[in-house]
Amino acid sequence: MADLNAPTLERRSRSAFLTAPAIGTEAGPARAGARMYRSLTTLERLLRDGVISERQYDAGEQLRIDHELGVQGARDSAGSGGFSGWHYAEARLAAVGRWQRAVHALGVLWRYTLPICVGALGGGDISISELARLMGRNRQEIAGIVKLGLDTLADHYELR
């Protein structure tokens, strides 16, 4: 029997995926043998391929988390924004402040680093090759600039 949750062949050709056994939810239990799929983000692919370090990955993820909570207003089902004991508005304001300080720390590197960490304007993941094409620059040059931006973020977030 075909896996109904599996990505299409076209989608598989464009991205790498994580797969795991499906889990039950409030809507119902998982079916035996069912799988769930999630495509890798650009940061996850760069880390997997050894292009960036764990420190650079953590810095990019922290920026993405601050963006999702502070700028986009994402929240978890409990409504706390993932911060125990905080009200949502306070958590969002703190994330906006961290986001603004991080973007300020990036300086001119923001236009290269942000799309890789949080996705392209208008939504969607963007690869270094796609970013290079959009910017009209060399892929290796963009990769170096992004790595410098991630190092700057790691220093800003005081990651070791």
Side-chain angles (χ1 to χ4, degrees):
M1 178 194 257
D3 186 354
L4 299 176
N5 294 330
T8 64
L9 291 176
E10 177 188 357
R11 181 73 172 128
R12 284 180 190 232
S13 70
R14 290 186 284 129
S15 185
F17 288 87
L18 295 176
T19 181
I23 56 173
T25 65
E26 299 85 29
R31 291 185 328 238
R35 308 286 298 165
M36 61 182 187
Y37 298 85
R38 183 178 67 79
S39 62
L40 298 176
T41 65
T42 298
L43 283 176
E44 290 170 330
R45 285 192 307 272
L46 293 173
L47 179 64
R48 178 198 65 191
D49 296 343
V51 175
I52 62 173
S53 68
E54 187 79 33
R55 181 176 183 259
Q56 291 169 322
Y57 171 79
D58 290 342
E61 279 295 296
Q62 183 60 54
L63 184 69
R64 182 191 59 77
I65 290 166
D66 289 340
H67 179 264
E68 286 180 356
L69 176 59
V71 177
Q72 292 180 327
R75 60 194 313 179
D76 65 8
S77 60
S80 67
F83 297 93
S84 178
W86 283 54
H87 293 292
Y88 172 71
E90 292 171 326
R92 188 169 182 194
L93 284 173
V96 166
R98 288 191 304 271
W99 163 262
Q100 289 174 335
R101 289 187 296 277
V103 171
H104 185 264
L106 279 171
V108 298
L109 300 173
W110 73 267
R111 68 176 29 141
Y112 302 95
T113 309
L114 292 186
I116 298 300
C117 295
V118 302
L121 188 61
D125 204 28
I126 186 168
S127 69
I128 287 184
S129 297
E130 290 172 287
L131 184 60
R133 185 180 48 76
L134 289 172
M135 298 280 197
R137 301 190 74 165
N138 180 294
R139 185 199 179 288
Q140 287 79 16
E141 181 182 17
I142 295 294
I145 294 170
V146 167
K147 288 175 73 170
L148 180 59
L150 291 171
D151 281 334
T152 301
L153 281 175
D155 291 344
H156 169 75
Y157 286 124
E158 298 179 350
L159 299 175
R160 298 288 163 225

